[in-house]
């Protein structure tokens, strides 16, 4: 099971809250797993990436839909959560377009927390043998990702710095990650998202054959 892409959290019938995830990293991992012979379900938010060959794709929009599709894909040996899931959605979504008031005022948007899909998978009664999350950070990348691994209960976290304006991660074909496991932190060299996916799949295969 692999999650990928952004989630769209509707504000009203016309607008939504989303993020810059293109799905490139998550789709590359799904494709690499399939090339190695895994049966892969890719649960993807709205992206322009083509569906990877040999992968069953479930298209979703919201975090709640992604959670439902992820839980429906269990049991699974491996879960890789590469999606940039919105942490919040609208507390009261409007079914109509919200009209702009003439007096110059702006509405206050009330938010509620979305389910944490990665944490839910980690605590599930049919937990995959290996649960891997991504940590998108803009500061203290490794420390925050280490804390996130423990808080969410993941086996591994891949930490990436999404705050660098000179080499953005969202939407680009390259990434630079740290692999964080219970053994510590490994910095991987900058590489294409495809190469990172291939390297991750090698590590997954070694771990499962141990
Ligand atoms: O899609 P690309 O353009 O290729 O960009 C790749 C990427 C930057 C999106 C990817 O490498 C990445 O970092 N994905 C995780 C983004 C993210 O939501 O990070 P986070 O630190 O906010 O979340 C930590 C983990 O919890 C992630 O595995 C995420 O999927 C998961 N999560 C987060 C919130 C939530 N409500 N449910 C979750 O499961």
């Amino acid at each position: 099971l692999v999650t990928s892409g952004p989630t769209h959290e509707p504000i009203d019938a016309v607008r939504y809250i989303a993020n810059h995830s293109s799905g490139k990293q998550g789709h590359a991992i799904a494709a690499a797993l399939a090339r190695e012979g895994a049966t892969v379900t890719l649960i993807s938010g709205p992206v322009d990436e083509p569906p990877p060959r040999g992968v069953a794709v479930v298209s979703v929009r919201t975090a709640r839909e992604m959670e439902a599709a992820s839980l429906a894909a269990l049991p699974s040996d491996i879960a890789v959560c590469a999606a940039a899931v919105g942490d919040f959605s609208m507390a009261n979504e409007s079914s109509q377009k919200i009209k702009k008031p003439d007096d110059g005022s702006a509405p206050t948007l009330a938010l509620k927390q979305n389910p944490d899909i990665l944490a839910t998978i980690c605590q599930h009664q049919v937990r995959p043998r290996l649960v891997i999350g991504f940590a998108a950070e803009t500061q203290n990348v490794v420390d925050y990702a280490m804390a996130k691994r423990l808080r969410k209960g993941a086996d591994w976290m891949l930490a990436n710095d999404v705050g660098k304006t000179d080499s953005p991660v969202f939407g680009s074909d390259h990434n630079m990650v740290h692999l964080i496991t219970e053994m510590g932190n490994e910095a991987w060299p900058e590489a294409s998202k495809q190469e990172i996916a291939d390297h991750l799949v090698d590590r997954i295969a070694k771990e499962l054959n141990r």
Side-chain angles (χ1 to χ4, degrees):
L1 131 65
V2 180
T3 71
S4 184
T7 58
H8 281 188
E9 308 298 342
I11 294 175
D12 61 25
V14 177
R15 300 183 185 86
Y16 56 79
I17 303 169
N19 60 67
H20 302 294
S21 171
S22 63
K24 285 183 179 178
Q25 186 65 83
H27 279 53
I29 293 167
L33 283 164
R35 276 197 302 276
E36 286 304 306
T39 304
V40 183
T41 302
L42 172 64
I43 298 148
S44 176
V47 295
D48 292 330
E49 284 298 291
R53 186 187 286 261
V55 166
V57 181
V58 181
S59 297
V60 297
R61 297 193 82 79
T62 67
R64 286 190 180 277
E65 288 172 12
M66 187 171 276
E67 181 193 39
S70 300
L71 296 183
L74 295 178
S76 165
D77 294 321
I78 309 155
V80 183
C81 293
V85 187
D87 284 321
F88 307 104
S89 55
M90 291 294 295
N92 298 302
E93 177 190 325
S94 168
S95 57
Q96 305 293 327
K97 184 181 178 194
I98 300 171
K99 300 303 288 176
K100 185 166 76 172
D102 291 334
D103 63 3
S105 65
T108 301
L109 302 182
L111 303 177
K112 63 179 184 201
Q113 278 207 16
N114 275 334
D116 190 313
I117 301 165
L118 173 60
T120 303
I121 291 172
C122 288
Q123 287 153 20
H124 200 276
Q125 54 181 351
V126 288
R127 185 191 193 281
R129 260 176 81 187
L130 191 57
V131 183
I132 303 166
F134 271 78
E137 307 291 351
T138 57
Q139 53 182 327
N140 303 328
V141 174
V142 169
D143 288 349
Y144 283 169
M146 282 178 158
K148 212 171 254 184
R149 185 183 83 83
L150 294 175
R151 195 167 63 244
K152 299 200 184 212
D155 299 302
W156 298 352
M157 269 329 237
L158 288 157
N160 41 204
D161 185 343
V162 294
K164 289 187 293 187
T165 44
D166 51 336
S167 75
V169 176
F170 284 121
S172 100
D173 290 325
H174 287 78
N175 200 356
M176 198 167 81
V177 300
H178 290 253
L179 172 67
I180 292 162
T181 69
E182 64 176 352
M183 308 299 286
N185 151 38
E186 256 176 50
W188 291 4
E190 180 167 354
S192 71
K193 286 179 176 172
Q194 168 89 62
E195 287 165 333
I196 287 174
D198 287 338
H199 195 43
L200 178 65
V201 170
D202 281 350
R203 293 295 290 263
I204 290 172
K206 285 200 182 90
E207 181 67 19
L208 294 186
N209 288 328
R210 238 169 17 113

